[in-house]
Amino acid sequence: MTAFLHRAALPRCLSWRFLDVMLHNIHGTPHLIPRHGAQFVAGGGRSLAAYTRAQNRMQHTEAAGAVEVDIKRLDGEDAGIVEVLMCQHKARNALGHIFVSQMREVVSALSNDSAARVVVFRSLVPGVFCAGADLKQRALMNNAESDLFVHGLRSLMTQIASLPTPTIAALDGVALGGGLELALACDLRTAAYSAQMGLIETTRGLLPGAGGSQRLPRMIGISLAKELIFTGRRVGGQAALEMGLVNRATEQNQTGDAAYREALSLAREILPQAPIAVRMAKEAMNRGFEVDISSAMAIERMCYAQVIPTRDRQEGMAAFIEKRPPRYTGE
């Protein structure tokens, strides 16, 4: 489906056992920070990884030759920017079995790709970012199968949120339900004023089940998030900008890719910065946001310690003294 992605070990932020010791000294009791380990599906001891592998095997024949999620590496001055392309035209990028399986493959590969400095999630389907759940497929699932599938979606969004590089979702069209949850899993979002987005699950007898009920309140505040989820309301790009749901919003252009152009502009602002420093900053903010301030300071200290011995830090200092632009290599 996709071109071979170069894989290399990424710098890790912390020695987590050492951090637990530090937090023990701060609080007097062990404070364990969960890492990504085996997750288990509801109703038994079957691991999510095993379920996903089984699903992938079942879909192998059907998925052969059907590209619903692809990848594009930019070159030249934009080298380091990677685009995740969602291109399921018939189902409007709905979160069906093949789409989810291919998205998981791409995200898994990017998580170990040191050449990627910024990742942009965009749609090639006009007027649509992601339409959310594939209701035709979901209608064929029994209760247990539906629970397993949504659990897999939740895991996928966590994988996206855990990518070490900055991620940007470009919303040039509709992003509803799971489609907005995918955008919420990204670090940053851009939108066209004409885009429509919302967590509409309560209008279908459901609630947001792929992280939306947790990420939206953290992003825009609990009271406003409750209003949007309780009512299933859709909002446009301008309203989304005003409430902090997106970082940038712009008028749509004639080619229908204004949000993508804005995302690319944002990616180009990130691209020249020291890649290890950017990754460690993301790690520090993501992990620190979920704990108390004393624990967060310990996390920041450990992340900061990772950049001190890098060549990029030395290059940054040298460039400042010599009054020239730095040339960061990610080392």
Side-chain angles (χ1 to χ4, degrees), residues 5-26:
L5 296 173
H6 171 69
R7 301 189 180 198
L10 296 176
R12 290 296 176 188
C13 172
L14 307 173
S15 168
W16 294 102
R17 290 186 180 179
F18 177 60
L19 178 56
D20 287 341
V21 174
M22 292 181 64
L23 298 178
H24 175 84
N25 292 336
I26 293 171

Side-chain angles (χ1 to χ4, degrees), residues 8-9 12 99 120 133 166 175 179 230 251 268 290 326:
R12 290 296 176 188
F99 184 97
V120 177
F230 292 168
E251 290 280 1
R268 286 167 175 160
E290 301 298 333

